[in-house]
Amino acid sequence: MLRRRRQFDQWTVITLGIILVYIVFMIYPVLSLLLASLRDASTGAISLKHFQKFFSKSYYMKAVINSFKVSVSVTLCAVAVATPLAYIISTVRIRGSSWIRVFILISSMSAPFIGSYSWILLLGRNGYITNFFKNYLGIQTPTIYGLPGIVLVLTLALVPLVFSYVCGALKNTDKSLIEAARNLGSGNFKIIMTIVVPLIIPTILAAGILVFMKALSDFGTPSLIGEGFKTVPQLIYNEFLGDVAADNGFAAAISVMVVAFALLAFIIQRAISNHLAFSMSALYPLEPLPAYGIKNVLCHLYVYLYMLIALLPQICIWVTAFRKTKGLTFDEGYSLQSMKTAVSQMSVSIRNTLVFALSAAALIVLIAVLVSYSTVRRPNPLTNSLDVLTMTPYIVPGSILGIAFVSAFSRQPIKLTGTALIIIIVLAVKRMPYTVRSSTAILHNIPESLEEASLNLGASSMKTFARITMPLMKNGIISGAIMSILSIITELSSSIMLYTGRTQTMTIAIYAQIIRGNYGLASALSLILSVFTIALVFLVFKITGNKELSY
Amino acid sequence: MSVTIKCTDIVKRFGDNTVIPGLNLEIKESEFFTLLGPSGCGKTTLLRMVAGFNSIEGGTISFNDKVINQIAPNKRNIGMVFQNYAIFPHMSVIKNVAYGLTTRNVSKAQTERRENHVLDKLTITPLRDRMPEHMSGGQQQRIALARAMVIEPDVLLMDEPLSNLDAKLRLEMREVIRDLQKSVGITTIYVTHDQEEAMAVSDRIAVMKDGVIQQIGTPRSIYHRPMNIFVANFIGSTNIISAVAGGRTVTVDGYRAEIPALASPLPEGTAVKLSVRPEELLLAGPDVPGIKGTVKSSTFLGNMTHYLVMLDAGDEIKIIQESSETDYLSPGDRVNLTINTDKVNVFSEDGAKNLTRGE
Ligand SMILES: Nc1ncnc2c1ncn2[C@@H]1O[C@H](COP(=O)(O)OP(=O)(O)O)[C@@H](O)[C@H]1O
Ligand SMILES: [Mg+2]
């Protein structure tokens, strides 16, 4: 271990440099937000006015309660759907399961708000399914608008995340544990409840908190499908950018409370997980075995039904993208018209999306690799604080990060609003925790003695990093970069707070077209986004040599 | 090129845990020096202090009287063979071997000459352009040695280099290492917990326990005249028998033996411990005077037979005798034991001090 006393070398400089970057682009925006929430804009004095306003009207409290309802229901539903799915796919031989895994993965890569718009196309007032039931069967389908629709869409969007976490945990569960339980006379159900569930509880909690945060911070889904059902991100958006009486200070106050709440949830999850934590690694991992009879049928039914529901919105969008349009309404028949319009009119946002994603990914990879190296190989108070800093965006929802950036960088000394840079930075900061985590995991798997051997042979620590550490991390770094690109191209909640006409991205364009009612164009753009996504997913498969991704 | 290494009062702490409380050591030029001790006694820690990977909390380490405490590990010109070999998996064999040369400004012709020489010496020339994955332990070991030696280091450090090999390869590689060290004449520190391996390769051995050196000496002197009971037990196999001394005689259960090697006559009635190797005990019939006991078990191993004898006084004793076709003992047989008095070691009762003269 390189724990030397005299550690003031290039790595100290790098650590300090990145800490400085985070002070400017994380601490400072969050502090500005806090300050804005405490300042009376008219007098400039410190006051609790905004917080008083919040508690004075039940309208605001209602949004908080709504958000809470959404987050809790989505978390419960996603865990309830994903855990059996993961267990079945990990233990029962399902026809086409490797493709099912790929589809689940791809369905996780699409932006939730596109899902909600596509469910409106299917089950909305004038939806394909709604009309089918009404015209042919005379049945009125239940409404998709409001809480049920939001929960449906976000659950489907977040099941893949829980699924991949649980599959990971099951992969580390040794077959012999289950065999031992069976040998001791337990039945299947008892084994699941007494062995499997306790083993994966910490994983479910970790995935659950992520789902909770993502559901809490999602802006697009409730805006599109919620109708009267207002949640906190919308409240913030309206107070911040609303046409009528925008109140920045008030938006800031709400944000501060949300972050405080998220922090609390995060701390509780940590405490529980640490309490339950144990490490597992399997010599003989669980493997899918053929099932027979009714069990086999039920397992297949469950998996295929989920697949159908998850794929439906995608198919719907692909079909819609090729429907003939007349103005804002659809005509009979199919054409390439929407696709052509998308490519010709929206080339700026397509280009922006690619440029932003690539630049942000480059930034993310650079910083994540340096951060993980310094925290893993040189643990000291300085690098530990860096680790904490890079993780903070976990608990700051995207839309709030967006307005924090606006309140910090809309005036001198650092004026960035309206530039592409501010969007790139916000995207990078937001995605950073995931990539830092994955690089850290990669680094833990590289024996430190390789680096020591290099030093011993006369290479400097920088040369060692460049010639030994980096090449060994290469595959992991590249897939980390692609995963970042994947998540960035479908990002909406923070970029929508920061964009201008020139820096519009594809997701913003899609959102704008949906709001405008231009469904054909929105579908065509979504299709292009899906194609990018699928291409990137297969690129990661090719690089890593297997069909698995980590978030 | 070769150097002497001197450790003066060196201290190593991990937090509050003092692993090495002040250690002194001098290693001669071109010497094959081994740190030997049970797992966890601080051998690796000491080696890594010399390599520069561990901080030094007190004292100095010097090469040829030049203190190296503050020199960065990449500036020390030390060759090191790691326990897991640490072969760079993304580089071919030759790239691994040449790695240390690329960090030094060695001319192209010189580089090639040295590479070929070392590959040839370790008989890995055929592996030259292959990637190291899927290579056997022995091959990886040779690559690691080649990579360490090609930079012509001042010092060679090896941390349990044979521990990952199977028994047969271990014997083969220890010859390779020994020959290489002798032909180059490089000062070497070798770490192992295997006493047989240590004796086979070393010029001198330091036996360590809990971060403290118990004895430094040649394999012979350590084997024949261990400084305390810990060393006697750790090096080879031995029997510890309680006895009472007076002058230059010791008495065990009524059997008196003259020990000419005792350094000075002892006061009458001094309690002592004898350390007798299993091959230094002779079995005789009950009519010959000796220490009385009963055979508990015998194991026939071809040329040798191992006996376990329960002394009447209570100690259990291991004995190794050359096998003979007619002359063997069975469990339950009564025997008397006599001792080869030239080879016996007498320790103070607490086992901390050897009372016999070394040669
Ligand atoms: N990096 C470290 N941090 C804390 N304690 C350590 C570290 N390295 C070694 N130790 C402790 O130092 C002692 C000696 O370890 P080591 O030198 O590895 O023993 P050996 O190589 O003789 O088996 C052990 O008790 C071990 O727990
Ligand atoms: Mg060791």
Side-chain angles (χ1 to χ4, degrees):
Chain A
M1 269 151 250
L2 300 173
R3 265 162 235 153
R4 265 164 296 139
R5 274 287 150 81
R6 43 201 169 75
Q7 265 197 336
F8 200 89
D9 56 5
Q10 296 96 320
W11 283 104
T12 317
V13 177
I14 288 171
T15 308
L16 285 172
I18 300 175
I19 287 182
L20 188 68
V21 169
Y22 264 88
I23 288 176
V24 175
F25 291 108
M26 186 71 223
I27 303 280
Y28 172 55
V30 170
L31 283 183
S32 319
L33 194 67
L34 188 63
L35 210 64
S37 74
L38 290 172
R39 191 163 48 208
D40 186 335
S42 49
T43 62
I46 296 290
S47 88
L48 286 176
K49 186 180 93 167
H50 301 306
F51 291 92
Q52 277 157 1
K53 176 174 170 188
F54 180 84
F55 289 104
S56 68
K57 273 204 203 135
S58 64
Y59 170 76
Y60 300 124
M61 207 54 211
K62 187 116 188 284
V64 172
I65 293 170
N66 283 348
S67 269
F68 194 72
K69 276 188 198 159
V70 167
S71 306
V72 171
S73 333
V74 169
T75 308
L76 293 179
C77 291
V79 168
V81 174
T83 312
L85 191 67
Y87 185 71
I88 291 174
I89 289 190
S90 303
T91 58
V92 178
R93 197 171 291 163
I94 301 288
R95 278 171 191 278
S97 70
S98 69
W99 284 107
I100 291 171
R101 281 173 185 264
V102 173
F103 278 128
I104 293 177
L105 199 70
I106 289 172
S107 73
S108 76
M109 300 294 167
S110 91
F113 80 91
I114 297 181
S116 39
Y117 136 70
S118 133
W119 279 106
I120 293 175
L121 289 179
L122 288 165
L123 280 173
R125 278 183 203 95
N126 196 20
Y128 298 131
I129 298 178
T130 320
N131 287 345
F132 176 83
F133 274 88
K134 199 158 61 193
N135 299 343
Y136 294 96
L137 305 172
I139 299 172
Q140 186 66 48
T141 47
T143 176
I144 189 77
Y145 301 98
L147 183 63
I150 300 176
V151 173
L152 171 72
V153 170
L154 287 179
T155 299
L156 286 176
L158 294 168
V159 159
L161 193 146
V162 183
F163 173 81
S164 97
Y165 268 63
V166 176
C167 281
L170 289 174
K171 212 171 94 185
N172 287 333
T173 305
D174 203 296
K175 196 161 67 176
S176 60
L177 293 176
I178 306 225
E179 285 165 359
R182 183 155 295 141
N183 178 250
L184 294 169
S186 303
N188 280 337
F189 183 73
K190 188 161 176 216
I191 289 174
I192 291 177
M193 294 320 284
T194 57
I195 309 286
V196 179
V197 169
L199 286 176
I200 60 176
I201 280 279
T203 309
I204 290 181
L205 282 175
I209 192 79
L210 272 180
V211 170
F212 188 90
M213 296 294 180
K214 287 194 182 229
L216 183 69
S217 56
D218 191 78
F219 162 76
T221 303
S223 323
L224 292 182
I225 210 170
E227 298 216 321
F229 195 86
K230 287 255 177 313
T231 60
V232 170
Q234 286 163 283
L235 193 61
I236 294 173
Y237 179 82
N238 290 340
E239 291 299 330
F240 196 71
L241 296 175
D243 307 325
V244 266
D247 185 345
N248 290 1
F250 184 52
I254 305 172
S255 308
V256 167
M257 286 185 285
V258 171
V259 172
F261 176 72
L263 182 62
L264 189 69
F266 186 71
I267 290 172
I268 293 173
Q269 183 264 340
R270 266 294 165 91
I272 298 177
S273 291
N274 285 345
H275 181 65
L276 295 174
F278 45 83
S279 67
M280 282 194 297
S281 68
L283 204 53
Y284 301 104
L286 282 179
E287 55 188 7
L289 297 173
Y292 302 98
I294 185 78
K295 181 180 169 198
N296 193 24
V297 172
L298 287 177
C299 290
H300 275 84
L301 202 64
Y302 187 81
V303 174
Y304 288 164
L305 195 65
Y306 169 77
M307 284 309 298
L308 179 70
I309 296 174
L311 277 179
L312 212 52
Q314 286 286 334
I315 296 168
C316 164
I317 283 180
W318 296 349
V319 172
T320 312
F322 294 106
R323 283 185 68 184
K324 214 179 250 164
T325 55
K326 199 163 71 187
L328 290 184
T329 55
F330 291 112
D331 222 352
E332 285 301 310
Y334 294 89
S335 82
L336 285 175
Q337 185 193 344
S338 299
M339 290 302 291
K340 281 185 188 143
T341 317
V343 174
S344 62
Q345 287 186 9
M346 295 298 160
S347 60
V348 174
S349 46
I350 296 175
R351 201 200 59 214
N352 278 345
T353 290
L354 294 181
V355 170
F356 294 175
L358 286 174
S359 332
L363 206 60
I364 290 169
V365 163
L366 177 70
I367 292 185
V369 168
L370 294 175
V371 168
S372 59
Y373 187 84
S374 52
T375 50
V376 173
R377 294 294 197 236
R378 297 169 171 243
N380 60 40
L382 202 62
T383 56
N384 287 344
S385 53
L386 182 57
D387 191 40
V388 173
L389 272 180
T390 53
M391 287 302 140
T392 34
Y394 256 141
I395 54 153
V396 183
S399 47
I400 295 179
L401 201 59
I403 72 168
F405 266 58
V406 175
S407 62
F409 303 120
S410 55
R411 57 183 176 274
Q412 297 304 338
I414 312 177
K415 184 160 176 359
L416 291 176
T417 39
T419 62
L421 189 62
I422 194 169
I423 298 188
I424 293 171
I425 294 175
V426 97
L427 294 172
V429 167
K430 197 178 160 202
R431 174 68 200 176
M432 194 69 73
Y434 300 88
T435 314
V436 169
R437 277 285 165 268
S438 67
S439 322
T440 304
I442 298 164
L443 210 50
H444 276 299
N445 284 332
I446 299 176
E448 198 171 357
S449 58
L450 293 175
E451 287 156 33
E452 288 175 349
S454 166
L455 285 175
N456 176 255
L457 291 165
S460 66
S461 73
M462 280 298 140
K463 183 169 179 189
T464 298
F465 184 69
R467 298 255 332 250
I468 306 295
T469 319
M470 286 288 278
L472 290 174
M473 291 180 78
K474 191 181 71 195
N475 278 357
I477 291 174
I478 294 175
S479 54
I482 298 176
M483 292 307 292
S484 302
I485 293 174
L486 274 171
S487 82
I488 288 169
I489 61 178
T490 55
E491 208 279 346
L492 178 70
S493 19
S494 49
S495 42
I496 201 161
M497 301 290 177
L498 295 163
Y499 84 101
T500 64
R502 281 186 307 117
T503 56
Q504 176 170 304
T505 60
M506 285 176 80
T507 44
I508 295 170
I510 296 169
Y511 183 76
Q513 295 306 331
I514 296 171
I515 295 287
R516 213 173 288 161
N518 200 343
Y519 289 171
L521 188 52
S523 299
L525 280 169
S526 306
L527 178 58
I528 296 174
L529 204 55
S530 294
V531 171
F532 282 154
T533 310
I534 293 169
L536 286 171
V537 168
F538 279 91
L539 191 60
V540 183
F541 288 162
K542 184 134 179 53
I543 290 167
T544 57
N546 62 27
K547 287 205 174 71
E548 274 169 39
L549 292 180
S550 55
Y551 285 81
Chain B
M1 181 187 120
S2 208
V3 300
T4 60
I5 304 172
K6 196 166 167 187
C7 298
T8 315
D9 299 326
I10 57 170
V11 175
K12 177 69 213 169
R13 274 188 289 269
F14 290 111
D16 293 334
N17 177 16
T18 304
V19 174
I20 296 177
L23 179 145
N24 290 287
L25 197 59
E26 233 182 298
I27 300 170
K28 296 181 205 129
E29 204 177 307
S30 299
E31 189 171 33
F32 198 123
F33 191 89
T34 297
L35 299 173
L36 173 66
S39 181
C41 72
K43 307 178 297 286
T44 299
T45 303
L46 180 58
L47 199 72
R48 290 170 61 85
M49 288 165 88
V50 177
F53 296 129
N54 276 345
S55 60
I56 302 171
E57 269 72 44
T60 57
I61 299 178
S62 18
F63 289 177
N64 280 345
D65 297 327
K66 180 167 172 265
V67 174
I68 58 155
N69 288 32
Q70 295 303 325
I71 300 180
N74 53 329
K75 299 281 190 310
R76 291 192 185 190
N77 199 32
I78 290 175
M80 183 156 176
V81 176
F82 290 78
Q83 192 168 1
N84 62 359
Y85 316 132
I87 304 294
F88 305 133
H90 59 303
M91 296 182 185
S92 64
V93 169
I94 189 67
K95 287 253 168 61
N96 262 282
V97 170
Y99 188 84
L101 296 174
T102 64
T103 66
R104 294 165 166 77
N105 295 322
V106 181
S107 75
K108 208 152 175 234
Q110 172 81 311
T111 300
E112 210 159 296
R113 195 186 58 71
R114 284 210 223 164
E115 283 167 7
N116 291 337
H117 180 69
V118 76
L119 290 180
D120 191 44
K121 196 156 193 165
L122 285 154
T123 64
I124 47 173
T125 312
L127 303 180
R128 190 185 165 95
D129 295 310
R130 287 194 21 209
M131 295 302 282
E133 60 177 352
H134 308 312
M135 283 195 184
S136 72
Q139 289 170 327
Q140 294 197 34
Q141 172 81 81
R142 287 168 192 267
I143 300 166
L145 266 170
R147 187 177 69 180
M149 295 304 290
V150 78
I151 60 173
E152 297 180 356
D154 295 333
V155 172
L156 180 62
L157 306 180
M158 289 186 260
D159 190 356
E160 313 226 10
L162 305 181
S163 62
N164 289 329
L165 302 179
D166 63 48
K168 190 155 166 281
L169 258 177
R170 245 196 315 259
L171 294 185
E172 179 189 326
M173 282 313 296
R174 103 185 169 196
E175 293 309 313
V176 171
I177 290 172
R178 172 79 192 169
D179 290 349
L180 187 70
Q181 193 271 343
K182 281 293 155 240
S183 72
V184 181
I186 183 174
T187 312
T188 299
I189 308 183
Y190 186 96
V191 163
T192 180
H193 64 265
D194 179 337
Q195 47 94 16
E196 188 190 310
E197 183 181 313
M199 288 197 280
V201 295
S202 317
D203 293 325
R204 282 195 306 154
I205 298 172
V207 183
M208 285 177 73
K209 181 196 173 197
D210 299 337
V212 178
I213 293 182
Q214 306 292 313
Q215 182 170 8
I216 299 181
T218 61
R220 271 171 214 288
S221 69
I222 287 184
Y223 184 80
H224 291 300
R225 292 293 171 212
M227 232 118 94
N228 55 39
I229 286 193
F230 171 80
V231 177
N233 266 323
F234 194 76
I235 306 289
S237 175
T238 196
N239 296 296
I240 304 297
I241 304 170
S242 304
V244 180
R248 286 202 153 84
T249 349
V250 295
T251 311
V252 184
D253 191 19
Y255 167 73
R256 289 168 57 87
E258 190 83 15
I259 312 282
L262 266 178
S264 55
L266 296 169
E268 205 62 42
T270 315
V272 293
K273 292 255 160 55
L274 307 183
S275 158
V276 198
R277 305 264 178 214
E279 65 274 18
E280 311 298 350
L281 280 160
L282 301 172
L283 283 166
D287 41 333
V288 182
I291 312 170
K292 291 183 278 297
T294 311
V295 176
K296 214 174 145 193
S297 70
S298 74
T299 313
F300 174 68
L301 294 176
N303 59 339
M304 292 292 170
T305 303
H306 289 203
Y307 293 103
L308 212 55
V309 173
M310 195 74 192
L311 298 187
D312 292 357
D315 293 319
E316 200 176 75
I317 300 292
K318 291 167 288 196
I319 300 168
I320 300 177
Q321 301 267 287
E322 209 174 311
S323 303
S324 105
E325 207 181 329
T326 51
D327 217 9
Y328 62 89
L329 294 161
S330 315
D333 287 354
R334 293 285 297 167
V335 288
N336 278 359
L337 305 182
T338 57
I339 295 173
N340 179 346
T341 49
D342 290 339
K343 298 282 185 71
V344 72
N345 283 286
V346 182
F347 293 99
S348 57
E349 183 169 31
D350 60 4
K353 193 160 178 276
N354 192 335
L355 305 173
T356 43
R357 264 193 311 261
E359 52 251 52

